[in-house]
Each structure stands twice: as C-alpha cells, then as structure tokens.
Amino acid sequence: MKVTLENLTKVFPGRGKGAKEVIAVNDFSFEIPDGKLIGLLGPSGCGKSTMLNLLSGLLTPTKGKIFFGEDDVTALPPEHRGVGLVFQNYALYPHLTVRQNILFPLQNRKGKDKLTKPQMEEMALEAAKLVQIESLMHRKPSELSGGQQQRVAIARALVKMPRILLLDEPLSNLDARLRLQTREELRRIQRATGITTVFVTHDQEEAMSICDEIVVMKEGLLQQMGEPQQVYDDPANHFVASFLGTPPINQFAGTVKGGKLYIGDQAVLPVPGVSDQAVTVGIRPEGFVLQENGAFTCQLKAVEVMGRDITVLSTHEACTAPAIRSIITAESRVDTAKPTVSFDLKPHKVLLFDENGERIRF
Ligand code: ADP
Ligand code: MG
C-alpha cells in the first residue's frame, strides 16, 4: 500500500510556564512507494517516533494529511488503520505463551471480521513460521532470548496482515551479532510479505544495509529521501553527508580561489565554476589515492592493515577531527618511515558545503 504524507506537522505544547513548544515533525511531504522497505533515519530526538505514531494513529497531527493508497486516514483511529507496530521493547504479555501472544490481536474481532478458532490458529502458525519461531509456541516470553522475543513481537504485528508495518528501533535492544542477523531477517520477511514497511533507526548503517529507500530527518525536518547509495554519493547538505558513512566523512576548513580548492596552502583539486569563498570540505575515506607527489600532504600517524584494505591515519591542521581516515587498497605500500603521506583526491568523493551547510556542486 502506497503511503502519502501531505504537509504533516506535529507540534507539542511546551510544558510549564514559558516553555517553548516543540515542532517534532515539521511540514513533511513525501510518498512511500507500495511494497517497499523505507528507513526513517536521524539522530535521537529528531522526530522519528512521532512520525511513526502519526502513521499509526496513536498521535493526531497538528496539520497535514496522511493517505493510505487513496484513503485519507488522517482522522481514522489506530484500530481501523490496519497497521502493525513493533517497538524497541518487545512489549509482549509476560503471562501469555508465544502462541497466545500472537493470537491476541485476532481475538477481539467482531461482526463480519470475527474469525473461527481454527482460522486464528492457522494465521498464528503462518506468522510464527514467517519469523521462524514455530517451535517455541508454548514458551513464555521469559523463556526466550531477546532476539526470539522480538521475533514474537514481529509475528504478532504480522498476524493481522497489516496494510503497513511500522518498526520503531526494533533492533536496539539486541546485541551486535544478533542485530546484524535480525536485520537480514527483517529484509527477508519484508520481501516475503511485500508489506510496505517503515523502519525507524538512528543507526545509519542499519538503514543503509537493508532499506530500499532512506528518509533522513533532523530536528523535525526532512533532509533528503532516496536510495541509500544515491543519498550517500550525492548528499543534499552537510548534515546528511556527515550522518551517513562509517567511518564518517573527513572534514576540513577550506577555501576556493580562482577555481581551485585549497586546504591550508595546498591546492588539492580543481573546482571549476565555484566562486571564491570559504567552504567546508568533506572527503570520504575512500576518496584518497596514495600518490608520492600527490596534491594533498598530511602528517602520517599510523597505518592499520585490515586485510582487504589499509586505513591510513594522518593529521592536518585544517581537519576538524583529531585524525583523517583514508582507506586505500591493500596492494598500496605506505612508507611508514616518512613523517608525511601524500594523496591525490577522487573528485566525486570530495564534497563542498557553504557556510549554511548547503552543498556546492562542481
Ligand atoms: P526520536 O524518536 O527521533 O528520538 P521523538 O519523535 O521521540 O524523537 O521526539 C521528537 C521531539 O518531540 C523531541 O524533542 C521530544 O522531546 C518531543 N516529544 C516527543 N513526544 C512528546 C510529547 N508527548 N510531549 C512533548 N514533547 C514530545
Ligand atoms: Mg524514538
């Protein structure tokens, strides 16, 4: 089901005297294509959960509209929206078994939607199979690992065959290895069901790795939406560029003069068409090419050999971080006896931003 947001806004009134109101979601307009897995991404407090709760109907927007397909659902209560919700803390009923937890959303249906017992049992088993917990049906939540509990929560959200699946940081309570495994599972389940899914996370790597498209937000405002690789390669502004990427983009204070980009007093790259100005320079770790007489020379600090590639750690007085990270191929040889290291830069891995953080293209 396609989801369309039109100027969606949620303002929370300030609490207490003189407290400022919070615009948690600020004039959001976008379209979530049918059957896709969308990652809603941004730092803590940027409005992700508020957005999800507006989609689910748990919150009412201050302004704007929400459409599921052609239906305006803005005023529809949560139970009539046909959404499945999964939260970070699995929120299972502790006194019920896995089977009873999954059955729960089916049991209070009335009238023509009422299901027979065998129908319900079959649906619950289907959902359990989808998340591969059918052998755990008679356990209580306390007898399950965190990963298993989260699978039960996903099964419970899926059992009603929701029109939209909403996941709010569903992997945050899992340890690193399980998180990796479960995110692949999520991708598989989403593909298998084809349910339009919004996956909220503050972890850019998580969103980039499994989502068809990502939506990056900051302080309630939509920053950019697109396929992960496209947003990574072509960020709209400084915030998006620095939020995406591990290791993060290297940042420098630079200047443009006469069509050339300077970092310190070194002319590191031609930037035709850019007017003379102070800029913030972002260079992706993979944007460096080791070159003996390269245009950009830094103070060599250390070399980390990772097998597949090499990370060169260096410093430069114009760099805003303590160290510059450059990732180069394992075939390259870095002369660690020398105090400096020189690079040429790959032009498409060098991003320029003006004083407002807006992208300057060249
Ligand atoms: P995220 O999920 O991205 O961490 P939230 O959507 O939870 O962010 O919160 C966005 C902003 O709205 C925050 O500044 C938060 O303090 C504020 N906020 C969220 N819920 C409420 C509420 N019920 N009342 C007042 N302010 C709220
Ligand atoms: Mg949240």
Side-chain angles (χ1 to χ4, degrees):
M1 169 110 4
K2 181 179 84 173
V3 177
T4 312
L5 308 184
E6 267 181 25
N7 308 105
L8 199 66
T9 301
K10 180 67 185 178
V11 181
F12 291 113
R15 283 197 205 288
K17 229 184 175 166
K20 279 232 289 263
E21 59 180 27
V22 178
I23 309 175
V25 172
N26 194 344
D27 203 23
F28 249 68
S29 296
F30 68 78
E31 199 170 280
I32 301 171
D34 180 34
K36 296 281 191 216
L37 176 55
I38 300 296
L40 187 56
L41 184 60
S44 182
C46 74
K48 303 182 295 296
S49 294
T50 304
M51 172 66 85
L52 221 61
N53 289 334
L54 290 169
L55 286 171
S56 71
L58 293 173
L59 284 174
T60 315
T62 310
K63 206 182 88 188
K65 285 188 174 154
I66 303 170
F67 296 87
F68 287 181
E70 304 305 317
D71 298 346
D72 182 344
V73 299
T74 316
L76 208 62
E79 61 274 21
H80 296 307
R81 288 198 187 187
V83 296
L85 265 169
V86 178
F87 299 102
Q88 174 178 344
N89 57 350
Y90 329 115
L92 301 175
Y93 301 107
H95 59 287
L96 300 182
T97 63
V98 168
R99 177 182 145 274
Q100 290 166 329
N101 264 284
I102 301 174
L103 280 172
F104 195 84
L106 301 177
Q107 285 166 332
N108 44 17
R109 294 198 174 184
K110 294 186 185 71
K112 64 172 176 45
D113 293 333
K114 200 167 160 56
L115 299 163
T116 66
K117 210 150 179 292
Q119 276 176 328
M120 288 195 281
E121 293 288 349
E122 194 188 322
M123 287 166 80
L125 188 61
E126 278 293 301
K129 278 185 180 161
L130 204 53
V131 300
Q132 297 171 340
I133 48 158
E134 67 270 30
S135 62
L136 307 173
M137 292 299 253
H138 299 289
R139 295 214 197 159
K140 293 270 177 68
S142 61
E143 297 161 344
L144 301 175
S145 72
Q148 290 167 335
Q149 289 185 49
Q150 192 55 296
R151 282 163 192 252
V152 178
I154 295 168
R156 189 179 56 182
L158 286 173
V159 75
K160 298 174 288 188
M161 273 299 144
R163 300 199 282 178
I164 318 280
L165 184 61
L166 304 172
L167 310 166
D168 195 350
E169 312 233 12
L171 309 179
S172 298
N173 282 3
L174 308 179
D175 66 45
R177 209 165 58 91
L178 204 54
R179 212 156 63 212
L180 217 63
Q181 189 191 335
T182 314
R183 82 182 188 202
E184 297 308 324
E185 282 282 289
L186 273 182
R187 168 87 270 195
R188 182 186 60 75
I189 294 163
Q190 196 277 329
R191 280 269 158 84
T193 58
I195 297 174
T196 307
T197 303
V198 182
F199 170 51
V200 162
T201 176
H202 62 271
D203 182 337
Q204 55 93 22
E205 206 182 331
E206 209 164 87
M208 301 265 292
S209 59
I210 62 164
C211 294
D212 297 309
E213 289 193 32
I214 54 172
V215 176
V216 184
M217 66 189 289
K218 177 196 175 194
E219 293 167 10
L221 287 164
L222 173 67
Q223 302 292 303
Q224 193 168 0
M225 178 175 188
E227 290 174 14
Q229 191 67 46
Q230 184 253 322
V231 179
Y232 177 84
D233 288 338
D234 195 15
N237 58 39
H238 181 250
F239 174 80
V240 175
S242 51
F243 196 71
L244 299 185
T246 33
I249 197 164
N250 298 289
Q251 297 179 46
F252 305 85
T255 36
V256 173
K257 220 163 53 193
K260 286 187 184 135
L261 172 64
Y262 288 84
I263 296 179
D265 51 13
Q266 309 180 74
V268 297
L269 198 72
V271 287
V274 181
S275 56
D276 292 4
Q277 60 187 300
V279 291
T280 299
V281 186
I283 309 176
R284 292 282 183 204
E286 67 275 21
F288 298 82
V289 182
L290 199 65
Q291 190 68 256
E292 202 162 337
N293 297 312
F296 187 36
T297 300
C298 304
Q299 308 302 311
L300 180 60
K301 288 300 165 202
V303 174
E304 292 173 356
V305 179
M306 312 295 278
R308 191 164 39 101
D309 44 42
I310 297 174
T311 300
V312 180
L313 294 170
S314 62
T315 59
H316 190 285
E317 72 271 7
C319 182
T320 55
I324 304 160
R325 276 184 178 271
S326 317
I327 299 175
I328 56 176
T329 63
E331 286 86 58
S332 337
R333 285 277 158 271
V334 182
D335 184 354
T336 50
K338 280 173 69 178
T340 61
V341 59
S342 296
F343 304 100
D344 278 338
L345 302 177
K346 299 178 189 170
H348 63 288
K349 293 290 179 182
V350 179
L351 308 170
L352 301 187
F353 305 97
D354 69 15
E355 57 191 319
N356 300 318
E358 291 306 318
R359 180 86 179 278
I360 306 169
R361 291 169 199 277
F362 61 89

